[in-house]
Amino acid sequence: MRSGTDWIPRVHPRLWRRYEKRIPVQVWADLWTDLASYVQAGIALDHALGIVATRRAGRVFKLLQEWRECLQEGKSLSELYARSGQYLMWLPLIRVGEATGDLAHMMRVLGGQAAEWHRHRRDLWTQLAYPLVVTAATVGVCALFFLIVFPRFAAFYEELGLDADGGGGPIRLAHILAWGVGAVLVAGGAAVFGVWRWRLGGKASGRLARMTGVSDAFTFEWAFLVGTMLSAGVSLDETLAHLADAKIRVSGAARHVRSRMLEGSTLPEALGAWPQCSEELLRVVELALWTGRLDTALLVLAESAALRQKRRLELWIRWLEPTLTGVIGLLVLGVFGLLYWPITQIMGMVVS
């Protein structure tokens, strides 16, 4: 039997390779937590992988078995994880766990972070489900109307001569409405995609960074990674070196800060010169260096930034539902007008 994804390898091989390797974040939450428990109990990592793999299937089972065999050949977990292409923000923490010999602690941290991401995404999709389903159904009905129903009405109207002038008849109005709705949908989708890509790259700054969440995203990633590494006993220079080698949002900032500190600048001076560094992050770093609790302060800041991101997304979703409702109302009103106006003209012709 052919599955619903059999068309992907033929149409887009690269997309299929990414789909095959993709493992849901909730699965990673369970994997990291289980592996941390076995490793902390004194079981070697390769044997722990074999135990965890017995309760998995599909591509997760294959991945764990591949890791187990490669570890027995002498390869490192960080090397294998980097090859998998999954959630690259976790890679520096795995490397730090291997370097410090406390891999179980880092895997437990990753398990907690993955579980938090899963709960956040589940809550967001729960809130988005109703407006998205209603909008998709309405747009689908309107599309069927324009593609199937209205052409037959248009032919009938032309036979009656209602659109003979071509200047402002129902057919021309329908074309204007259809092209207008399509342009709005395309422009809205392009705007959302552009903001998402810009936010993902972390290239916004100033007020735009605060509105789109770039500032909080950078603050969270920097505070979480640096705070976790420092709490594990890694020096600041080694932490920056680990982050600079990774291909994540804060890698460029880590290279910038490390080079400036090697030239003699302090951490606040070097970090403050980075465009995405928020005033809050800079202030926390300055005060934490004075108190000597930089790792703890950064972890507190990371939790605060993550909470603000969650609230911002929830606020956008609350505004999304009435906005979609308004768009649906306009579509229904336009379709009603296209049906009602010719009927009034026909009635006028009959009366006259």
Side-chain angles (χ1 to χ4, degrees), residues 22-35 52 55-56 59-60 81 86-87 90 107 110-123 125:
R22 185 71 173 177
I23 297 177
V25 68
Q26 66 269 22
V27 176
W28 280 113
D30 296 336
L31 287 177
W32 290 130
T33 302
D34 292 345
L35 287 173
V52 173
R55 294 187 289 109
R56 267 71 185 185
R59 58 182 181 271
V60 179
Y81 184 79
Q86 305 276 335
Y87 304 101
W90 295 342
M107 289 192 292
L110 295 179
Q113 188 63 45
E116 181 64 25
W117 285 356
H118 171 59
R119 287 191 296 268
H120 187 194
R121 293 181 181 182
R122 181 189 58 195
D123 294 342
W125 280 113

Side-chain angles (χ1 to χ4, degrees), residues 204-247:
S205 60
R207 185 174 181 181
L208 180 62
R210 292 190 295 271
M211 292 177 59
T212 58
V214 171
S215 178
D216 281 338
F218 175 85
T219 298
F220 165 77
E221 194 165 315
W222 179 276
F224 173 72
L225 292 175
V226 175
T228 302
M229 293 183 187
L230 293 178
S231 65
V234 182
S235 66
L236 179 60
D237 184 69
E238 292 177 346
T239 296
L240 295 176
H242 281 295
L243 295 179
D245 292 337
K247 297 179 180 179

Side-chain angles (χ1 to χ4, degrees), residues 135 138-139 142 181 184-185 320-334:
T135 303
T138 305
V139 172
C142 292
V181 171
V184 169
L185 292 176
L320 179 64
E321 185 170 356
T323 301
L324 293 178
T325 302
V327 173
I328 291 172
L330 291 176
L331 285 175
V332 173
L333 181 62

Side-chain angles (χ1 to χ4, degrees), residues 4-313:
T5 56
D6 285 346
W7 58 274
I8 299 180
R10 301 191 301 272
V11 176
H12 204 313
R14 184 178 178 183
L15 177 62
W16 176 249
R17 288 194 297 270
R18 292 183 61 183
Y19 171 81
E20 281 190 315
K21 295 179 180 180
R22 185 71 173 177
I23 297 177
V25 68
Q26 66 269 22
V27 176
W28 280 113
D30 296 336
L31 287 177
W32 290 130
T33 302
D34 292 345
L35 287 173
S37 300
Y38 286 121
V39 171
Q40 196 168 12
I43 299 177
L45 181 58
D46 56 341
H47 296 304
L49 286 169
I51 297 173
V52 173
T54 57
R55 294 187 289 109
R56 267 71 185 185
R59 58 182 181 271
V60 179
F61 175 81
K62 295 179 181 178
L63 180 66
L64 295 178
Q65 289 293 346
E66 178 185 352
W67 282 8
R68 181 171 180 266
E69 295 173 359
C70 293
L71 284 174
Q72 292 175 346
E73 294 174 359
K75 296 182 179 179
S76 63
L77 178 62
S78 59
E79 179 182 356
L80 300 175
Y81 184 79
R83 188 190 306 171
S84 69
Q86 305 276 335
Y87 304 101
L88 294 179
M89 197 187 88
W90 295 342
L91 181 58
L93 299 182
I94 298 175
R95 289 174 175 170
V96 168
E98 292 176 335
T100 59
D102 195 4
L103 188 58
H105 170 70
M106 286 300 175
M107 289 192 292
R108 195 171 296 278
V109 170
L110 295 179
Q113 188 63 45
E116 181 64 25
W117 285 356
H118 171 59
R119 287 191 296 268
H120 187 194
R121 293 181 181 182
R122 181 189 58 195
D123 294 342
L124 291 179
W125 280 113
T126 300
Q127 298 177 51
L128 279 173
Y130 175 75
L132 289 181
V133 169
V134 173
T135 303
T138 305
V139 172
V141 170
C142 292
L144 290 176
F145 172 79
F146 283 113
L147 294 176
I148 299 177
V149 178
F150 187 78
R152 298 185 180 182
F153 277 100
F156 176 67
Y157 297 155
E158 288 180 351
E159 291 179 1
L160 296 178
L162 297 180
D163 203 57
D165 57 350
I171 299 177
R172 182 173 179 81
L173 180 61
H175 291 163
I176 294 175
L177 180 61
W179 281 106
V181 171
V184 169
L185 292 176
V186 171
V192 171
F193 178 76
V195 170
W196 175 73
R197 290 294 299 176
W198 199 7
R199 183 181 184 277
L200 194 66
K203 297 179 181 179
S205 60
R207 185 174 181 181
L208 180 62
R210 292 190 295 271
M211 292 177 59
T212 58
V214 171
S215 178
D216 281 338
F218 175 85
T219 298
F220 165 77
E221 194 165 315
W222 179 276
F224 173 72
L225 292 175
V226 175
T228 302
M229 293 183 187
L230 293 178
S231 65
V234 182
S235 66
L236 179 60
D237 184 69
E238 292 177 346
T239 296
L240 295 176
H242 281 295
L243 295 179
D245 292 337
K247 297 179 180 179
I248 55 179
R249 188 193 309 269
V250 299
S251 295
R255 290 191 293 268
H256 167 80
V257 171
R258 189 164 184 254
S259 63
R260 291 287 296 271
M261 291 184 66
L262 291 175
E263 294 173 357
S265 300
T266 63
L267 176 60
E269 292 173 347
L271 186 59
W274 188 252
Q276 279 74 53
C277 177
S278 63
E279 184 67 25
E280 180 186 28
L281 174 59
L282 185 59
R283 184 65 172 167
V284 168
V285 170
E286 290 175 346
L287 294 177
L289 287 175
W290 182 71
T291 60
R293 301 290 300 276
L294 181 59
D295 53 345
T296 305
L298 287 177
L299 291 177
V300 172
L301 177 60
E303 185 176 355
S304 176
L307 182 60
R308 285 198 302 270
Q309 285 185 293
K310 182 178 180 179
R311 289 176 177 173
R312 181 182 291 105
L313 288 175

